Amino acid sequence: MGNSGGAGDLRPGAAGDAAAFVGLMQQLKEHSGLTYRQLERRAAERGAVLARSTLADALRRNALPRAETVEAFVRACGGTEAEAGEWLAARRRIAAGTRTAPAQTPAPAPDHAPSQRPYRKRPKRITLIVAAALAAVLAAVGVRLLVGKEAPAVASPPAGEVRIHPLRAPALCLTDGRVLRAHRYRTVAVQRPCTEAVPPHTRLKAAGAGYYRIQWDHPDEGTGCLVLLHEPALDGLLEPHDDCSTAGPAQRFRIEPAGKAAYRFRTGDGVDRCLAVEGGRAAADGAVARAEPCTGADGEKFLIDGK
């Protein structure tokens, strides 16, 4: 790309695999001289979405980024439509080759790549499995004998770094994203594939009286806590703010058991609202998370995986 400080010498068609393709993207970013924030802003000016957290994660991994991420990135770096087409063609070729690889020899996933249940190890011996199952049955029977009814499946959420999944779309995780609201782009909580949800790292921080803060740690943006917005056109959205020290009502959430392995995030602002996916679009990539009136429906239930 002639206007990208030497990036015109990059030829995505020469990339033979995903790692080489991402390496060329890294070179393109270096040639552009732009920060992640500037790339995000330039993409937004063209009407595209290029979350800086998504791009940063894509450039750290040896896996193909999504096609829309590649296109928005190349155009934000100053590439023409034709040049973006060259990058997309190279991506399609590499992706097609990946799909034809033997199923028994998959490429090893990066250590940080999230999955639905990556931190639960299966016992290696059948005796351990049987023993664990027997212990669970005896424990359940004991609880019923003592209190006359079944105890809740979960008592408290995991502490520390977590991933938060909508119950109806466990392959998606809450993370940051850019949306156009009230005539400007805002960084708010959205749901995306879990493989693209870090950074930021999500942590649950106790805020007293059974409440928690949802904290995001980002290598470029620093630390912020999700705050419930109340302004017109933004009411119910969750935006990260730098100040995590006050733990005021707009930052606090009561995390309640909501059935087997699930939780409900009830807001601490005095209004009976629960965290949900806007418009009930449980399986939609990029759907916005927002506080809505609590109904007990599955749309306001989440799974929480601890690290």
Side-chain angles (χ1 to χ4, degrees), residues 31 48 63 69 75 164 183-184 201 246 273 303:
H31 284 309
T69 298
R75 297 303 303 274
I164 302 173
H183 308 294
R184 57 172 289 198
H201 297 273
T246 59
R273 292 195 290 181
L303 306 175

Side-chain angles (χ1 to χ4, degrees), residues 21-88:
F21 186 85
V22 173
L24 288 174
M25 290 181 65
Q26 293 169 346
Q27 293 181 47
L28 179 56
K29 180 182 181 300
E30 292 176 4
H31 284 309
S32 75
L34 299 171
T35 66
Y36 289 111
R37 185 187 294 274
Q38 290 171 327
L39 288 168
E40 181 182 52
R41 186 179 300 116
R42 291 184 66 167
E45 290 171 353
R46 302 184 61 86
V49 176
L50 184 65
R52 52 187 178 273
S53 59
T54 298
L55 179 59
D57 190 44
L59 296 185
R60 290 191 185 99
R61 304 179 58 208
N62 291 330
L64 283 176
R66 293 185 303 172
E68 53 267 36
T69 298
V70 173
E71 182 176 16
F73 169 67
V74 174
R75 297 303 303 274
C77 287
T80 65
E81 184 176 353
E83 289 167 334
E86 294 179 10
W87 285 83
L88 292 174

Side-chain angles (χ1 to χ4, degrees), residues 207-298:
Y211 286 95
Y212 291 83
R213 297 192 304 269
I214 303 175
Q215 178 178 303
W216 281 350
D217 294 327
H218 196 286
D220 297 323
E221 303 303 322
T223 298
C225 286
L226 292 185
V227 173
L228 185 64
L229 302 179
H230 294 90
E231 303 98 305
L234 300 173
D235 185 52
L237 299 186
L238 300 169
E239 185 176 62
H241 286 193
D242 293 339
D243 186 5
C244 291
S245 61
T246 59
Q251 282 188 355
R252 296 189 301 171
F253 300 87
R254 187 180 296 280
I255 304 179
E256 308 169 341
K260 185 177 181 180
Y263 297 87
R264 181 182 298 108
F265 288 75
R266 193 179 298 272
T267 63
D269 61 350
V271 181
D272 189 25
R273 292 195 290 181
C274 293
L275 188 60
V277 178
E278 186 178 47
R281 299 187 299 153
D285 177 8
V288 174
R290 68 179 306 148
E292 298 180 350
C294 299
T295 64
D298 285 347

